[in-house]
Amino acid sequence: MRPIPTPQTIPREFSTPRQLPRMSAFVPARRSLSIDRGFVAAAAVLLFASAAVGLGVPGVPGLEGPARSEFRRGLALAFATGSVAAAASHAAFARWVRRAHMWRASYLAILGTSTDSVVGCDARGIITSFNPAAEAMFGWKASQMVGQPLTRLMPERHRAAFRERISFLQLRRESRLVGESRVFEALTSSGKEIRVEVALTAWDGEDGPEFAGVLRDAGRWARIDAQLRLSDELLLQLPECIVLTDLGGRIVRWMGRASQVFGYTAAQVVGIPIDRLLEPSYRAALTPAEVAKMRKGDYPSEVPCARRDGTPVHAATSSSVVFDSDGRPAYIIHILRDVSERRRAEELLGHSEQKYRQLVECADELIVTLTPDGLIASLNPAFERTLGWKTKDWLGKHYSDLVHPEDLAKAEQATATALRGNTPSAVIVRARTRAGLWRYLESIGRPLVIGGRITGVMVIARDVTERWLAEAARAAAQAQLEQKVEERTHELREANERLHREATERQRVAAELATQRLQLERSNEDLERFAYVASHDLQEPLRMVTSYVQLLNQKFGPRLPPDAHDFMGHAIDGTRRMRTLIVSLLEFSRRACGEQILRPVLAADALREALLNLRPLIVESNAKVAQGELPEVTADATQLTEVFQNLIANALKYRGPEPPRVMIEARQETDSWEFLVSDNGIGIESRFHERIFLPFRRGPGSEHCEGSGIGLAICKRIVERHGGRIGVRSEPGKGSTFFFSLPIAPPGGATGPAREA
């Protein structure tokens, strides 16, 4: 008995409806069948139909609704009659079998021609299909893999997890990977691991979910990306600027040396018209039609451009159209080459004869081919443009007649190296022009290989005369500059020595000043100690004189004449004034040498303390004291209070017939605050304006007022130690205005509110 066909054993020639086999092909050729043979034939029909209609392909039509009933009716007829022909003769059954063959043929055609690997498996993880692309990827034949477990394509470390997943899918009858793409490691027939990207689909089979996976080589895209990066890197080595634009002239890609030449990055230029690279004045002179032609790649041979920083650059241009797969224009490639150096050379030779100007304007590389004997075999047009010779004048002649005798040895050595199959280093030789001049050519020779044999040398040269002369001039200028630098260095060395001597002298003077300052500080300390001791020692005899005069008055007073009492009173008053002068002298000495604590101080706070100290005198004299806004200054708070107190006290003492009126205000100067203390007192004559600030000197009208004449001297000393100045503006009978200045405090200070006491 022939084997019953399965999806794997159906012959390839039965893949289309026209080649549908007869049912009798799968049963013996005898017409009358026994019951057992009829059952076997019906079973064969059932299995064949199931294989033809199902084949594990999702979505095969005709298996639901009325179609399924017709199909079952045909199968029932086959079982009932035991005849395959009866089942096959049923019209509906035969129609669905033919449709199953067509779907199967389409399925097999898709699998066979797909460039992606397709592997199918059932719910147990057994491979059911393995297309030719999968054979190429894994190295296994379909006949070797169909019926094998899918874990055969997996590394050992992943197999246990896959079996657990299959068991889970059998229980849940679902797949969480359907519709997703993931990257896994797979195993080829040689045991090599490869990374594959898997897109999975699933459907419900008779025994559970069945799967088909589309696999792609995940490393292929990495290799393609590496090749693209390599292509970009190679483009960066080209001397040209390569710009890709769309058909409208807008930049799409920015390649080659474009960034180095023009100074723009790709992100800065992509999307802008390519004519934006032109020099602004040149672009402004173009007509719209000319701009449109340039955007399509129709350029002059050279155009003036501008770098990002505005410096000009001349570019030689060429362009070509890139077509898509349908043969339609898609992009335009613009190739720009920086010829600014050559352009500058052309300008330097602008006053030369016309033939030399034309020579420089068209100068490009010279290409000369030599035979092994050194004879010139061919010349390109650049030779004629560069040296002025006609090509026919040099064909067949030896190149040595063209080279300067001093450079001939270098040329011969380079030629010999190239004939040995090596590429020599570039050499600079002088070539004779038709006019008898010499041009410097940077030349390099390469072996000319034809048919695997060296048949000569190809020499590629370019004119570098201007560069060579410029380098020679630069070397001469460098030598001249070095000489000037040496002379200047000598001058600077002498100047440094003078500065060193001056610095040494300054250090000596600074040391002397420091010594003098130290001596002055010690002198001040000694003076302060002396003043204290002197005041103490001077006060003791005064107390003794006062005591004895008072004892003399008590003991002999009644017996002394009246004049004696007056004399004793004058003596006591004199000792009292002497004591006051000694105390004032001590106070003045302390203000001159005492320590200062400078910090930001609100002048309003210092004035408030002074007014509190003068409160009894203010009440006694019925005075009015007003103040404006006072700033913050850098000062010693105690000493500032003393200045205010002395100035206001003088205003209250030297008052006129009217009650005293005192105003304290401030105004800002360039780098200081000026404080004003004004009163309506008796005033001071101008000849006393300087005198009143001296120690123990008092102004007119002071004979009726108590005091030692030291207060204004103390104010002057305090203000000057703060870096300020003090003075007075006054006229007799019109009051006085005392003013003094103090430094401005650092930012952030406050001002006190205006008020009247």
Side-chain angles (χ1 to χ4, degrees):
M1 183 175 178
R2 296 180 183 179
I4 297 175
T6 66
Q8 292 77 29
T9 58
I10 295 178
R12 188 181 299 272
E13 61 269 24
F14 299 153
S15 61
T16 62
R18 292 183 180 179
Q19 297 171 342
L20 186 66
R22 297 181 179 179
M23 297 302 173
S24 58
F26 301 99
V27 296
R30 194 173 300 173
R31 290 185 177 274
S32 59
L33 301 174
S34 63
I35 297 300
D36 293 338
R37 289 182 178 271
F39 178 80
V40 172
V45 171
L46 175 61
L47 291 176
F48 175 75
S50 300
V53 175
L55 284 179
V57 182
V60 174
L63 296 181
E64 40 299 320
R68 176 174 291 189
S69 300
E70 293 295 329
F71 180 71
R72 289 179 175 175
R73 189 177 297 113
L75 295 182
L77 181 61
F79 275 107
T81 60
S83 172
V84 175
S89 63
H90 193 279
F93 178 79
R95 182 170 62 253
W96 293 117
V97 169
R98 284 195 298 273
R99 292 185 64 179
H101 272 287
M102 287 192 298
W103 278 96
R104 177 181 180 275
S106 300
Y107 173 71
L108 293 176
I110 292 172
L111 290 185
T113 59
S114 174
T115 58
D116 293 328
S117 302
V118 181
V119 179
C121 70
D122 58 17
R124 299 172 300 158
I126 302 300
I127 297 174
T128 58
S129 60
F130 203 79
N131 75 331
E135 293 178 347
M137 175 181 287
F138 293 101
W140 301 97
K141 295 296 183 182
S143 59
Q144 297 174 303
M145 296 306 296
V146 172
Q148 297 294 325
L150 189 61
T151 53
R152 191 171 181 181
L153 298 177
M154 301 178 187
E156 184 67 33
R157 61 182 180 277
H158 297 326
R159 294 179 179 178
F162 175 76
R163 294 189 185 98
E164 293 179 2
R165 183 61 180 168
I166 288 295
S167 300
F168 175 77
L169 294 176
Q170 286 177 338
L171 292 174
R172 297 290 300 273
R173 298 182 65 82
E174 64 178 13
S175 173
R176 298 295 182 188
L177 292 178
V178 173
E180 300 179 7
S181 293
R182 299 221 182 153
V183 178
F184 299 95
E185 288 82 9
L187 202 62
T188 64
S189 60
S190 62
K192 177 183 177 182
E193 288 191 12
I194 60 174
R195 290 178 63 80
V196 295
E197 182 182 0
V198 181
L200 195 64
T201 184
W203 65 91
D204 289 332
E206 293 295 332
D207 297 327
E210 298 185 12
F211 306 93
V214 179
L215 297 82
R216 294 180 179 177
D217 186 356
R220 176 187 177 190
W221 307 112
R223 292 191 296 272
I224 292 175
D225 184 62
Q227 291 174 356
L228 290 175
R229 288 198 301 270
L230 177 60
S231 299
D232 289 342
E233 190 66 28
L234 292 175
L235 287 175
L236 288 175
Q237 308 306 318
L238 297 177
E240 289 83 6
C241 308
I242 303 175
V243 183
L244 184 67
T245 68
D246 58 18
L247 298 180
R250 293 191 175 275
I251 297 175
V252 177
R253 289 202 67 187
W254 188 249
M255 300 172 288
R257 292 181 54 81
S259 295
Q260 292 87 334
V261 171
F262 290 98
Y264 295 97
T265 63
Q268 292 170 332
V269 297
V270 169
I272 69 172
I274 191 171
D275 55 277
R276 291 283 183 85
L277 301 178
L278 298 177
E279 197 272 329
S281 60
Y282 176 80
R283 185 177 69 229
L286 296 175
T287 64
E290 290 173 333
V291 172
K293 289 174 62 177
M294 286 189 177
R295 292 184 179 181
K296 293 180 180 178
D298 188 2
Y299 286 96
S301 59
E302 293 182 8
V303 292
C305 299
R307 294 186 174 91
R308 183 186 179 188
D309 58 4
T311 56
V313 55
H314 244 76
T317 63
S318 62
S319 62
S320 60
V321 179
V322 179
F323 297 90
D324 59 15
S325 58
D326 297 329
R328 293 175 298 188
Y331 300 100
I332 301 175
I333 292 181
H334 307 261
I335 300 177
L336 298 88
R337 185 168 189 167
D338 184 3
V339 294
S340 301
E341 182 178 351
R342 191 194 72 192
R343 187 73 175 185
R344 287 191 293 269
E346 293 172 357
E347 293 175 357
L348 292 176
L349 295 177
H351 302 291
S352 300
E353 298 180 11
Q354 181 63 33
K355 58 181 179 180
Y356 300 122
R357 183 181 301 111
Q358 186 66 29
L359 171 65
V360 174
E361 289 176 353
C362 302
D364 285 318
E365 287 79 4
L366 288 74
I367 301 176
V368 183
T369 58
L370 305 176
T371 66
D373 299 331
L375 302 179
I376 298 176
S378 66
L379 296 166
N380 71 330
F383 176 84
E384 182 175 340
R385 295 195 303 270
T386 303
L387 301 179
W389 298 102
K390 296 294 183 182
T391 302
K392 61 182 180 180
D393 296 338
W394 284 95
L395 291 177
K397 293 184 178 181
H398 200 277
Y399 74 89
S400 60
D401 297 335
L402 190 65
V403 179
H404 194 284
E406 296 178 1
D407 300 333
L408 188 57
K410 293 190 294 183
E412 290 176 348
Q413 182 180 0
T415 303
T417 302
L419 288 173
R420 289 195 297 269
N422 301 320
T423 300
S425 301
V427 295
I428 296 180
V429 298
R430 285 166 285 180
R432 181 164 54 91
T433 67
R434 186 176 182 180
L437 302 177
W438 297 100
R439 306 293 295 178
Y440 289 86
L441 302 180
E442 185 179 24
S443 309
I444 186 169
R446 300 180 182 276
L448 185 61
V449 180
I450 299 178
R453 185 171 60 89
I454 298 176
T455 60
V457 177
M458 176 180 289
V459 180
I460 302 175
R462 60 174 177 170
D463 186 1
V464 293
T465 303
E466 283 70 30
R467 191 188 74 184
W468 181 271
L469 295 177
E471 290 178 354
R474 183 182 60 81
Q478 181 71 20
Q480 184 179 5
L481 179 61
E482 290 177 355
Q483 182 180 358
K484 292 183 178 179
V485 168
E486 185 177 356
E487 295 174 356
R488 183 59 178 164
T489 302
H490 180 69
E491 295 175 358
L492 291 175
R493 188 179 296 111
E494 293 180 350
N496 286 335
E497 291 176 357
R498 289 196 302 270
L499 291 174
H500 179 69
R501 289 193 296 270
E502 293 176 359
T504 303
E505 181 65 18
R506 289 194 185 96
Q507 291 177 356
R508 186 187 64 78
V509 172
E512 291 180 357
L513 290 175
T515 303
Q516 293 176 2
R517 183 173 62 253
L518 181 61
Q519 292 175 353
L520 182 60
E521 291 176 354
R522 292 175 179 173
S523 176
N524 288 335
E525 293 176 358
D526 294 341
L527 179 61
E528 186 176 359
R529 286 195 296 269
F530 172 76
Y532 176 78
V533 172
S535 63
H536 183 272
D537 293 344
L538 288 175
Q539 289 183 59
E540 188 61 30
L542 291 176
R543 283 195 297 270
M544 183 182 297
V545 171
T546 303
S547 298
Y548 277 107
V549 170
Q550 290 175 349
L551 289 174
L552 183 62
N553 186 32
Q554 291 175 3
K555 188 172 182 179
F556 301 103
R559 290 178 288 175
L560 292 176
D563 292 341
H565 289 285
D566 293 337
F567 295 155
M568 286 188 292
H570 291 312
I572 293 173
D573 291 340
T575 56
R576 186 182 300 111
R577 286 195 300 271
M578 186 63 181
R579 182 177 182 182
T580 301
L581 290 175
I582 292 173
V583 172
S584 299
L585 179 62
L586 177 61
E587 184 67 22
F588 182 77
S589 175
R590 288 175 177 173
R591 291 295 178 269
C593 306
E595 181 182 1
Q596 283 184 319
I597 302 176
L598 300 181
R599 59 183 178 83
V601 176
L602 286 173
D605 293 344
L607 177 61
R608 186 181 304 110
E609 292 294 328
L611 294 177
L612 288 176
N613 296 335
L614 296 173
R615 187 67 180 174
L617 185 57
I618 293 173
V619 173
E620 178 187 349
S621 61
N622 194 24
K624 295 294 184 182
V625 181
Q627 69 178 79
E629 287 192 358
L630 300 182
E632 186 179 52
V633 294
T634 301
D636 184 296
T638 302
Q639 294 181 3
L640 180 58
T641 300
E642 189 170 358
V643 171
F644 280 129
Q645 184 171 332
N646 282 331
L647 295 179
I648 297 172
N650 283 346
L652 298 179
K653 290 177 182 179
Y654 299 96
R655 60 181 180 267
E658 297 180 359
R661 296 289 185 268
V662 184
M663 179 65 185
I664 300 96
E665 54 189 342
R667 61 188 179 189
Q668 186 173 2
E669 301 293 338
T670 304
D671 55 355
S672 63
W673 284 99
E674 185 175 69
F675 292 87
L676 305 173
V677 180
S678 304
D679 60 52
N680 61 342
I682 61 176
I684 306 172
E685 296 181 21
S686 59
R687 59 192 179 94
F688 294 107
H689 286 181
E690 297 292 336
R691 176 183 174 183
I692 59 177
F693 292 101
L694 298 177
F696 309 114
R697 299 294 180 89
R698 307 180 70 184
S702 59
E703 60 274 5
H704 303 293
C705 302
E706 295 183 359
S708 61
I710 202 69
L712 290 179
I714 291 176
C715 291
K716 184 174 186 296
R717 182 56 58 91
I718 290 174
V719 171
E720 289 178 349
R721 291 190 68 192
H722 280 76
R725 61 188 180 87
I726 190 170
V728 63
R729 291 187 288 270
S730 178
E731 293 182 16
K734 296 184 179 181
S736 303
T737 298
F738 286 85
F739 59 88
F740 65 93
S741 61
L742 293 176
I744 296 177
T751 59
R755 64 185 182 87
E756 183 173 332

